Amino acid sequence: TGLDQLDSLDLLRLIAAIGGTWFGAELLVRGSARLAAALGLRPLLVGLTVVAFGTSSPEAVVSFVAALHDSAGMAVGNVVGSNIANVGLILGLVSLVHPMRVRWPEIRRDALFMGMATIVASAAIFSGITGWPTGILLLLILVVSLVLAVRTPVTDEEKASEPVARDRRTRLIAILQSVAGLVLLVIAARLLVGSAQEVARAFGIEEAIIGATMVAVGTSIPELAASVVAVARGHYEIGIGNLVGSNLMNLSFVFGTVCLLSPDATIPPDVGKLLV
């Protein structure tokens, strides 16, 4: 059986790796959010960019490492599974914890960009082929959305909310915290990919399914923590911005970069089944 073939150390490494991605992402998110606040960025922009990038960093590192180790199935499965977890699991749990008051005009543009990235990525996944054109198009969607988001002016209401000390010491601590989190993430991600592959082989499961379930849920834990904390404290813009931004980051940045790292990779049919 799979349990007989599975080394207990592989299972322990998998659990430790998921925990490492959690703590690493926490450090990265806290440091990045603190730095963004010190620079006077908009709350929604923080959620869409800094927090979203921080909470998507486990997916990014895991998928990049998997792609470099010729595991395109796990890389893409992780992206698809993480987005499903963001919408189904995290948005559902956050809504149960505290109803979110979100104004559609504030997130309309970013939601439309997320929809564009979803269409492009879905087309590539269903066709089973990745390549440079897909990767470049997805990254271009992300760049345009970020440029437009940064150019949106800060309102007086946002300026008055939660003034933060903007001294050099605060910025330095935030940078060090972010770097420490990123280093921990890289180490944990390498361990996560290796141990997840061993678990998949032991049970005879496709790597794409492992990536879309166990690895995806494990790397989505930071999104859950960040969104729950943000909404519980009344920061609805950061909470919903994190989910929209995280999905956009996963599709445009993570999947787009995977297409560039493995342009000749063929996506297993099992990944496409997860979208229907």
Side-chain angles (χ1 to χ4, degrees):
T1 63
L3 287 175
D4 295 331
Q5 300 176 16
L6 182 64
D7 188 342
S8 58
L9 289 178
D10 290 326
L11 190 58
L12 290 176
R13 280 195 291 266
L14 181 63
I15 295 173
I18 292 176
T21 60
W22 162 268
F23 288 113
E26 277 293 302
L27 283 174
L28 181 58
V29 170
R30 290 176 183 273
S32 300
R34 180 181 297 177
L35 180 61
L39 295 174
L41 299 178
R42 298 167 55 238
L44 182 60
L45 180 59
V46 172
L48 289 167
T49 56
V50 178
V51 178
F53 180 79
T55 55
S56 293
S57 51
E59 289 92 335
V61 178
V62 167
S63 292
F64 296 165
V65 172
L68 292 173
H69 285 75
D70 298 323
S71 296
M74 180 177 293
V76 180
N78 181 37
V79 171
V80 174
S82 294
N83 278 22
I84 293 175
N86 285 347
V87 176
L89 174 64
I90 298 175
L91 183 59
L93 288 177
V94 169
S95 299
L96 289 176
V97 171
H98 199 293
M100 289 189 290
R101 291 171 289 183
V102 181
R103 288 171 284 192
W104 170 246
E106 293 184 350
I107 65 170
R108 177 176 53 198
R109 180 182 60 207
D110 302 286
L112 291 176
F113 276 109
M114 183 184 70
M116 292 170 56
T118 301
I119 293 174
V120 174
S122 297
I125 291 173
F126 277 116
S127 68
I129 301 174
T130 60
W132 290 85
T134 301
I136 293 174
L137 180 56
L138 287 172
L139 291 174
L140 183 61
I141 291 174
L142 177 62
V143 170
V144 173
S145 69
L146 291 178
V147 169
L148 293 177
V150 170
R151 294 182 64 179
T152 302
V154 182
T155 64
D156 293 334
E157 181 181 354
E158 290 171 333
K159 290 179 181 178
S161 65
E162 294 195 34
V164 179
R166 300 179 182 176
D167 55 275
R168 183 179 300 177
R169 181 174 178 274
T170 300
R171 297 178 185 177
L172 179 60
I173 292 176
I175 292 173
L176 292 175
Q177 193 173 18
S178 301
V179 171
L182 183 59
V183 171
L184 179 57
L185 267 177
V186 171
I187 297 173
R190 291 185 64 88
L191 187 62
L192 181 58
V193 171
S195 54
Q197 286 177 324
E198 292 300 325
V199 171
R201 294 191 188 99
F203 285 91
I205 303 173
E206 288 287 340
E207 289 184 354
I209 300 301
I210 290 291
T213 54
M214 186 183 301
V215 178
V217 172
T219 56
S220 291
I221 290 176
E223 280 96 335
L224 175 61
S227 294
V228 168
V229 171
V231 171
R233 295 180 180 176
H235 301 303
Y236 305 107
E237 300 92 343
I238 293 180
I240 192 64
N242 174 39
L243 294 180
V244 173
S246 180
N247 276 17
L248 179 58
M249 289 283 182
N250 287 344
L251 292 168
S252 296
F253 175 62
V254 181
F255 185 41
T257 304
V258 168
C259 290
L260 298 181
L261 292 175
S262 302
D264 300 323
T266 300
I267 302 174
D270 291 330
V271 178
K273 295 177 183 177
L274 296 170
L275 297 173
V276 297

